[in-house]
Amino acid sequence: MKKQEDQTVEEQEEPKHYSRRDMLKMSLLAGAGVAISASGIGAVTTMTNVFGETTKKSGSSAEKESVPFYGKHQAGIVTPQQTYAYLAAFDFTTNSKSDVIRLLKEWTVLSEYMSQGKAEQNFNNDWLPPKDTGEALDLPPSRLTMTFGFGPSFFSKKGIDRFGVKSKAPKHLRDIPAMPRDNLQEPFIGGDLCLQVCAEDQQVAFHAIRNFIKTAVGKAEVRWMQSGFISAKHGKTPRNLFGFKDGTANAGPKDTKAHNQTVWAGQGEPVWMHGGSYMAFRKIKMFLEVWDRSSLKDQEDTFGRKKESGAPYGKINEHDKVNPMQMPPDAHTAIAKRSGQQMYRRAYSYTDGVDSKTGYVDAGLMFISYQKNPDEQFVPMLKMMSKADKLNEYTQHIGSALFAVPRGIKKGEYIGQPLFSSF
């Protein structure tokens, strides 16, 4: 990655005079996807080159792999994380239940095709727009996964049961309560439906999300969308933009017992949620310039872990047992451990260019976690973090949403079918 980055930067023809802000834009924009419309196509090319994404060779073993769309649980939850992700929230523009079902059926067909690296090719009529947008026609499946969830407003919006499903709302689905330090910013709040798309190739992931958006015209519109990325050697825990490992406490992808205890909803939930989960989303802005000026000791005190190894204070290895008494009481790891709760993290870093107000990098963490009971596992931990986490000096939560993710889709079903057919 570093070699590619150096090479592609050298290959670019740089103007002789850059302002500080120009330099930041040139060197740090990446993965911004929807945040760069004002910069045009040229800016997109620059961004991908800077991070070497366009030089990544297709055909690697991971890119050739496909992940089944159908199954007991939706793919993209405990599936080993792919390199790129898009998370989008949609609001329905129709009040018709049949329109919603029709769209979910269309998305099901799309999902099945795209997960296999296929596209609906319809080039027989020169006078009609092609059904598929085309940018992934020659690309492999790239472990593409698509994960769907429903937000609280899908079941009841301003007290109105638009789709006749209010009585089937899951037990713990409600907006995440406001935290004292929140600075939530529209549009990154809530949504009727969420779609998480992950793949090893960013173009494959974007192709998928683009075609879902295209198909939704007239029935739903995008409320917000965020792209993200991670990178780590095989078997290693990815690092966030502060340089610390993120997801150390996750159970292994094949640890079914842990997933049943932590991730999959069941007892007390409506049938359509059995084997489903709750997705919590927080867009967390990271003040990289402030962090980069802090000492290594301050950084490690903030996390309660060694930066290079990821080991908790007082221990040697990353996965050694955490003892909160051996680290500052306000360390991020100490608070998480004292909460006594587990969740399954699936976070991605993001960069959205440069903050026009400050000239600083607009970057952070697209935090995503899955849990069976957010009232017990997520919200109490978030409250503790909001009050006392030393990490708050360097971060700010600017987006928030909670979605109920139905169980996996069986072949022959459409997305969320048990929710609609259980009447």
Side-chain angles (χ1 to χ4, degrees):
M1 180 74 177
K2 181 67 168 61
K3 185 178 179 181
Q4 291 176 345
E5 179 182 338
D6 291 344
Q7 183 182 21
T8 52
V9 169
E10 287 170 4
E11 288 172 350
Q12 293 170 17
E13 185 179 350
E14 297 182 355
K16 292 182 179 179
H17 302 288
Y18 282 132
S19 67
R20 178 178 175 280
R21 180 165 297 184
D22 288 336
M23 288 299 292
L24 286 169
K25 288 178 179 176
M26 287 292 292
S27 61
L28 294 163
L29 287 173
V34 297
I36 45 72
S37 57
S39 302
I41 295 174
V44 175
T45 304
T46 300
M47 289 191 296
T48 53
N49 281 345
V50 165
F51 278 78
E53 292 159 1
T54 54
T55 62
K56 184 179 178 182
K57 294 181 179 178
S58 296
S60 68
S61 58
E63 290 182 335
K64 290 178 181 175
E65 292 177 12
S66 61
V67 179
F69 173 67
Y70 298 107
K72 182 179 180 181
H73 310 291
Q74 290 198 52
I77 299 177
V78 297
T79 306
Q81 273 185 269
Q82 300 93 324
T83 306
Y84 301 101
Y86 285 88
L87 184 64
F90 292 78
D91 285 335
F92 285 100
T93 55
T94 176
N95 291 328
S96 166
K97 179 178 173 180
S98 60
D99 280 350
V100 171
I101 292 175
R102 192 175 303 117
L103 177 60
L104 294 175
K105 288 180 176 178
E106 290 176 325
W107 278 359
T108 303
V109 174
L110 265 178
S111 300
E112 181 180 6
Y113 266 70
M114 292 191 293
S115 67
Q116 299 171 24
K118 299 177 181 176
E120 191 170 1
Q121 299 187 41
N122 180 18
F123 300 115
N124 297 327
N125 191 331
D126 291 346
W127 303 102
L128 291 176
K131 286 189 175 181
D132 189 277
T133 53
E135 68 268 40
L137 286 177
D138 304 318
L139 299 175
S142 299
R143 299 185 62 240
L144 177 71
T145 58
M146 294 139 286
T147 313
F148 298 84
F150 298 100
S153 57
F154 179 75
F155 296 90
S156 177
K157 192 166 190 174
K158 297 180 179 179
I160 300 174
D161 183 5
R162 293 175 291 168
F163 309 120
V165 293
K166 185 177 180 179
S167 64
K168 299 298 180 184
K171 191 175 178 181
H172 304 290
L173 184 63
R174 56 187 66 88
D175 292 329
I176 296 170
M179 299 292 143
R181 295 176 184 271
D182 281 356
N183 184 23
L184 302 185
Q185 300 169 9
E186 293 287 357
F188 292 95
I189 305 170
D192 291 344
L193 179 146
C194 80
L195 170 56
Q196 174 195 279
V197 175
C198 303
E200 298 294 352
D201 185 317
Q202 187 174 15
Q203 186 152 315
V204 171
F206 182 75
H207 165 261
I209 199 84
R210 179 184 176 190
N211 279 274
F212 285 119
I213 294 171
K214 177 173 172 282
T215 311
V217 171
K219 304 181 187 70
E221 60 186 14
V222 178
R223 181 183 183 90
W224 54 263
M225 183 164 75
Q226 183 64 54
S227 61
F229 58 92
I230 59 166
S231 187
K233 288 184 177 179
H234 180 69
K236 300 287 186 181
T237 306
R239 294 179 184 271
N240 58 37
L241 295 181
F242 284 161
F244 280 77
K245 297 187 177 187
D246 196 309
T248 295
N250 271 355
K254 295 183 180 179
D255 191 344
T256 305
K257 182 179 178 182
H259 299 160
N260 288 335
Q261 293 174 340
T262 306
V263 180
W264 307 127
Q267 189 173 8
E269 293 284 4
V271 173
W272 64 270
M273 271 294 283
H274 290 187
S277 190
Y278 289 91
M279 174 207 286
F281 160 75
R282 301 285 282 184
K283 184 174 181 179
I284 304 174
K285 189 170 186 174
M286 299 164 74
F287 302 116
L288 301 185
E289 287 81 359
V290 179
W291 179 261
D292 291 344
R293 291 196 295 269
S294 63
S295 69
L296 177 60
K297 184 177 186 308
D298 280 344
Q299 293 183 5
E300 292 185 336
D301 283 351
T302 298
F303 277 92
R305 290 183 179 273
K306 305 302 288 185
K307 189 168 188 176
E308 184 174 355
S309 67
Y313 270 21
K315 302 296 171 63
I316 298 174
N317 301 308
E318 177 190 354
H319 296 286
D320 287 348
K321 190 174 181 180
V322 171
N323 181 354
M325 301 301 291
Q326 292 182 304
M327 57 187 68
D330 58 353
H332 184 73
T333 303
I335 296 173
K337 186 65 177 177
R338 285 202 301 272
S339 76
Q341 298 298 328
Q342 293 283 325
M343 61 183 70
Y344 197 91
R345 293 174 63 107
R346 197 180 172 87
Y348 285 85
S349 297
Y350 75 83
T351 55
D352 282 350
V354 176
D355 188 325
S356 60
K357 294 180 181 176
T358 64
Y360 290 156
V361 181
D362 188 355
L365 188 72
M366 182 168 69
F367 175 90
I368 298 171
S369 70
Y370 289 92
Q371 46 275 305
K372 65 192 302 181
N373 183 344
D375 289 333
E376 284 187 8
Q377 296 167 269
F378 179 75
V379 174
M381 187 183 296
L382 186 64
K383 286 180 178 177
M384 292 176 66
M385 297 281 189
S386 180
K387 288 179 181 176
D389 191 353
K390 187 171 172 55
L391 199 54
N392 292 330
E393 297 176 23
Y394 306 98
T395 61
Q396 188 174 65
H397 290 223
I398 60 175
S400 181
L402 185 71
F403 300 96
V405 178
R407 65 157 171 80
I409 298 107
K410 298 177 182 176
K411 199 152 189 174
E413 282 185 348
Y414 60 86
I415 299 158
Q417 180 171 329
L419 168 62
F420 299 99
S421 61
S422 57
F423 290 92

